Amino acid sequence: MASTDIDPLLLLRQSIASGSNIIPTTSADASSTDVPEASLSQATHLVFTHPARVAVPIDAPTRFVSNDKPVDVRSIYFAWLNREVAIPEYNASATKLNEELPGATHVHKFAFVERLELFTWLEGASEESEYIKPLAGDKDAAAAASAAAASAASKTAPVLASSRAGRGTLDPRLAQIYNGERRMGDRNTVLHGFKPTDFSSIRKQAQQFMSRKPSPAAAATAAIAAAGLGNPSLVINQKPQRRPDPIIMLSPSASALLRMSNVKAFLEGGRYGPPDHSSSASMMHVSRVMKDIDPGRPMRFILVEGPEQFKPEYWNRVVAVFTTGQAWQFKNYRWSNPSDLFKHVLGIYLGWRGEQPPDSVRAFGHQVISTAVEKWHDPTRLGAESSRWRDREVVESIWKAIEVHMRHKGWRKDTAPTQI
């Protein structure tokens, strides 16, 4: 495989999907099957074994861009190796690795959303990301085809036998036939011009022949043209921004019934199980179709236990907060006072059926809904499984409350609220 054809980011994604080995080494020879493995602070190359054995320089830039700078292969691979650890532990490990690296070399520390976008793309759950540039072969394919067609059409020189140097000699009679051809172009060639053409004046004249009630696009065009904002077609044809993912916050309390280890099975599968307190995951995502907001596609929700890596604008995406009633949970929140917090965000308390919610939860007010599941029993116990059928009913009530709150705050099919 030629070096110009190697895309480290795509190789890493393919290797993860196939479960093949990725070996950091100090050797650039990928042909040997006995490559000595080295630490990331000493390695000079990463050897990929799928779909072919390829050695990639570990400091090579990738298509992942952060703050307008491409992130190197070492930083991408190091972040993937630490995908299961909490963000503070990841930052500490990155600082330690930077101290071991020679010279001015250092690994990039990914922000909260950057890590989530990177892991989602590498796992194959997403085909695009705002941080990952498209491959050169896919970018502006239509423009490249148009330019190639225009270039071919502009060549009017006769086809000579000598012009096929390196590809064999062309028969003189066939060359004469080629010279008599009339070169045809496609619509891209015919419409190709030297500069963009502004058709805004034509739109103004056409509006009087259109229906009495103009379409939203025509109304927007007229408003932009009247305001003198330049070419309205450039504004209207802009690609709409992607709707951000809403965020649900969990309680980090050890007494919480929902933690990172069991929340996905509960919210997506409709079945409660006890949390695994040995789990160190700091974030994950679940999918849910919100019929009253976007019935055509599932909506992805980001689940976190704390706001340590939050930027100020992330708070506008928080749609629900699970709480146990302990006020210390909100210490680092944008609104540390529970009465202020639950004026902006829906609160959810999950307890055991038959037990009263704590007094602190009831004091938070009506913006905190109280739900309850059947107490967990050992599955081997007789009748333990029969009590779990109510779990789905509780999950549906939680999602319904979240959906109503999101609609009230301004979540729509293609837009999200800019302030809550």
Side-chain angles (χ1 to χ4, degrees), residues 135-151:
L135 286 170
D138 299 334
K139 185 178 181 181
D140 298 332
S146 174
S151 175

Side-chain angles (χ1 to χ4, degrees), residues 257-267 271-275:
L257 300 188
L258 283 184
R259 300 295 300 274
M260 280 294 179
S261 58
N262 66 341
V263 66
K264 188 178 182 70
F266 182 67
L267 292 181
R271 178 180 172 82
Y272 179 80

